[in-house]
């Protein structure tokens, strides 16, 4: 009788644990559809690399950036001049069927999301101009393709302080990608951010349709890496190069619990729970809400070194 009671209690405990996993890790084992693309689960989508297509820098390139930044004083002097107003050139790409069209309200809502996300930083975005181009090849362009180069070399405006945003509907299913600040020096025409038009607020790519894809990609454009850069690797040198972001083993997805700690016991990087609400992770748009103080300071230094 005692054995039977213990067995039943264990069965209930396992059932509860399984249910808890299902609720805290949404869509892990369910089919996930995003536009024209179907994945076995949201986890498969995240592992595919299509949440963000920004090219990862080599270790040598990262070291060169750190060498450059060493000459930039880490102080609050930069903030004394008030917020830096970044002009935004918004390039809307449509196909001949009219897909990709955006209203003034759509674009204004995206800029508002941007400024809300960067509210605690020293940067503010203002819409300088909008242009609309009908081009089937550019609308569905592959990442790092000749079509992308042609589009940017034709449409890009402003200097190194100008943010150029291109909205397309990438056939590969990649939500967005960006260039890092140092790239401007040798390839100024390629500087900027490309995002799928369906990721704008109210778009068709739920749960990535609240405008946070652009926030994430502009984070790269401002010089930030993913919070999971180099994972828990003990040989990794400071991971994402930010002192107040604990090590993260791999991209988080969905909206994980706040006590998630994917690198427990890590001795070479900052200990602590994963920053599951950080804009530089891969959570659902509704779950991503913050940059850290250290990330803000890194953006300041990147701007001073590469965009002033």
């Amino acid at each position: 009788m005692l054995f039977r009671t213990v067995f039943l209690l264990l069965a209930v405990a396992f059932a509860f644990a399984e249910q808890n996993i299902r609720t805290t890790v949404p869509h892990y084992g369910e089919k996930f559809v995003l536009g024209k693309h179907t994945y076995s689960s949201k986890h498969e989508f995240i592992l595919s690399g299509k949440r963000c297509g920004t090219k990862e820098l080599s270790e040598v390139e990262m070291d060169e950036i750190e060498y450059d930044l060493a000459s930039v004083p880490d102080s609050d002097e930069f903030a004394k001049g008030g917020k830096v107003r970044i002009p935004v050139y918004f390039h809307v790409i449509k196909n001949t069927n009219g897909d990709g069209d955006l209203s003034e309200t759509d674009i204004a809502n995206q800029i508002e999301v941007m400024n809300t996300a960067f509210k605690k930083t020293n940067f503010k975005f203002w819409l300088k101009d909008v242009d609309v181009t009908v081009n089937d090849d550019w609308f569905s362009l592959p990442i790092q393709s000749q079509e992308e180069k042609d589009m940017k070399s034709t449409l890009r405006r402003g200097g190194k302080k100008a943010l150029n945003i291109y909205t397309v509907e990438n056939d590969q299913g990649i939500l967005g990608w960006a260039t890092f600040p140092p790239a401007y020096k040798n390839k100024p025409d390629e500087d900027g951010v490309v995002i799928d038009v369906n990721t704008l607020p109210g778009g068709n790519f739920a749960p990535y349709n609240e405008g946070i894809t652009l926030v994430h990609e502009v984070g790269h454009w401002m010089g930030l890496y993913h919070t999971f850069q180099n994972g828990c690797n003990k040989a990794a040198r400071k991971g994402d190069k930010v002192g107040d972001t604990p090590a993260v083993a791999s991209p988080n997805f969905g909206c994980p619990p706040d006590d998630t700690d994917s690198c427990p016991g890590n001795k070479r990087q900052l200990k602590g729970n994963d920053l599951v609400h950080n804009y530089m992770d891969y959570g659902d748009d509704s779950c991503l809400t913050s940059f850290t103080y250290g990330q803000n300071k890194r953006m300041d230094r990147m701007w001073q070194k590469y965009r002033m």
Side-chain angles (χ1 to χ4, degrees):
M1 183 68 179
L2 179 61
F3 175 78
R4 183 179 180 183
T5 300
V6 172
F7 178 79
L8 288 173
L9 288 173
L10 287 173
V12 170
F14 280 122
F16 176 79
E18 182 180 10
Q19 178 62 32
N20 188 50
I21 290 172
R22 287 175 179 171
T23 55
T24 57
V25 187
H27 302 294
Y28 191 92
E30 302 172 12
K31 183 173 71 173
F32 182 62
V33 179
L34 205 60
K36 304 172 185 176
H37 302 270
T38 301
Y39 306 88
S40 62
S41 65
K42 185 184 287 187
H43 189 224
E44 184 197 21
F45 165 69
I46 293 298
L47 292 179
S48 73
K50 295 181 181 180
R51 179 71 170 94
C52 170
T54 297
K55 184 180 178 182
E56 194 167 295
L57 300 181
S58 68
E59 188 172 301
V60 171
E61 290 172 319
M62 293 175 71
D63 286 346
E64 288 175 350
I65 290 174
E66 297 315 300
Y67 178 82
D68 287 347
L69 292 182
S71 64
V72 180
D74 185 12
S75 70
D76 293 323
E77 292 297 318
F78 179 69
K80 290 186 177 180
K83 282 185 176 286
V84 174
R85 298 180 74 243
I86 300 176
V88 176
Y89 293 94
F90 215 101
H91 308 287
V92 180
I93 312 300
K94 303 194 301 183
N95 64 15
T96 49
N97 293 328
D99 299 324
D101 194 25
L102 291 172
S103 67
E104 291 182 4
T105 300
D106 292 331
I107 296 172
N109 288 342
Q110 177 63 82
I111 298 296
E112 182 179 359
V113 169
M114 289 278 295
N115 281 322
T116 298
F118 283 81
K119 186 176 182 179
K120 294 182 179 181
T121 74
N122 290 316
F123 303 94
K124 184 178 179 62
F125 303 90
W126 64 284
L127 188 61
K128 174 74 171 178
D129 201 8
V130 178
D131 55 63
V132 180
T133 302
V134 178
N135 189 307
D136 290 337
D137 292 334
W138 294 357
F139 182 66
S140 60
L141 57 78
I143 187 172
Q144 297 175 10
S145 61
Q146 186 60 48
E147 289 84 356
E148 180 184 353
K149 291 180 180 179
D150 292 344
M151 175 186 73
K152 288 181 172 180
S153 63
T154 301
L155 299 179
R156 194 188 186 285
R157 298 166 63 187
K160 57 186 176 182
K161 297 181 180 181
L163 172 59
N164 281 255
I165 300 167
Y166 307 83
T167 57
V168 301
E169 193 172 279
N170 167 256
D171 271 349
Q172 296 163 294
I174 302 171
L175 301 193
W177 61 91
T179 56
F180 285 104
Y184 181 87
K185 182 178 180 180
N186 294 323
K187 297 181 179 180
D189 285 349
E190 296 182 19
D191 182 71
V193 175
V194 180
I195 57 168
D196 193 295
V197 66
N198 295 289
T199 66
L200 269 69
N204 297 322
F205 277 7
Y208 308 115
N209 63 341
E210 298 180 21
I212 302 302
T213 293
L214 184 56
V215 173
H216 178 99
E217 299 304 338
V218 171
H220 288 314
W221 185 79
M222 297 288 289
L224 299 181
Y225 303 133
H226 294 129
T227 53
F228 49 84
Q229 185 83 27
N230 289 323
C232 301
N233 181 8
K234 291 184 178 180
R237 284 174 281 188
K238 299 183 180 178
D240 63 354
K241 311 298 184 182
V242 177
D244 60 358
T245 56
V248 179
S250 60
N252 284 292
F253 64 98
C255 204
D258 289 351
D259 61 356
T260 299
D261 185 0
S262 60
C263 292
N266 188 288
K267 297 180 180 179
R268 294 290 295 276
Q269 296 186 19
L270 181 68
K271 294 181 180 179
N273 295 334
D274 296 9
L275 300 181
V276 296
H277 300 294
N278 195 276
Y279 289 122
M280 301 314 294
D281 205 341
Y282 278 4
D284 292 352
D285 277 16
S286 61
C287 194
L288 304 184
T289 57
S290 63
F291 291 114
T292 68
Y293 174 80
Q295 287 174 320
N296 293 345
K297 297 294 287 183
R298 184 172 180 84
M299 287 189 279
D300 289 351
R301 297 175 73 203
M302 281 281 190
W303 187 268
Q304 292 175 81
K305 183 63 183 179
Y306 297 112
R307 297 199 183 276
M308 284 186 70

